[in-house]
Amino acid sequence: MIGLCAVTYFAYHTVEGDRGVLAYMRLNGEILDAEMRLAKVASERQEMEHRVLLLRPDHLDPDMLEERARIMLNMGRDGEVVVFDRKRPL
């Protein structure tokens, strides 16, 4: 009887315990979510670094300069239609 109780106790904690199978699956899901967020943030950072590189004084991209000037001054040319993309940061 004592042996059966011990086996039941350990079997229960193997599945439900702090380090059980369910906790392991939950942690794997959290790790996957964190890795996906990391990949998203890393790609955003890489895009930002590329945009900053285009604005360096030693390597100035005229198109990027014009884009930033239009955004900062809130101006455009006559006859242009401006479409704002709310998803993309300014």
Side-chain angles (χ1 to χ4, degrees):
M1 185 66 172
I2 293 176
L4 181 62
C5 289
V7 168
T8 304
Y9 173 81
F10 287 117
Y12 173 79
H13 285 287
T14 298
V15 174
E16 293 286 337
D18 292 340
R19 297 186 178 141
V21 174
L22 297 179
Y24 175 75
M25 291 176 9
R26 180 182 49 81
L27 286 175
N28 276 343
E30 290 177 12
I31 289 170
L32 182 62
D33 289 343
E35 287 174 346
M36 289 172 52
R37 279 185 282 149
L38 175 64
K40 180 181 176 188
V41 169
S43 68
E44 289 174 359
R45 179 184 171 132
Q46 187 177 16
E47 181 182 342
M48 286 180 175
E49 286 176 349
H50 177 69
R51 292 175 62 86
V52 168
L53 179 66
L54 292 175
L55 289 172
R56 300 240 175 190
D58 57 331
H59 184 265
L60 188 59
D61 183 33
D63 291 333
M64 183 62 72
L65 179 62
E66 181 181 0
E67 177 186 329
R68 292 307 304 164
R70 287 174 182 241
I71 290 171
M72 299 301 288
L73 298 175
N74 197 21
M75 298 179 78
R77 295 187 184 130
D78 289 337
E80 285 186 333
V81 177
V82 179
V83 179
F84 293 102
D85 185 6
R86 296 194 190 282
K87 296 178 197 168
R88 186 173 178 187
L90 299 177

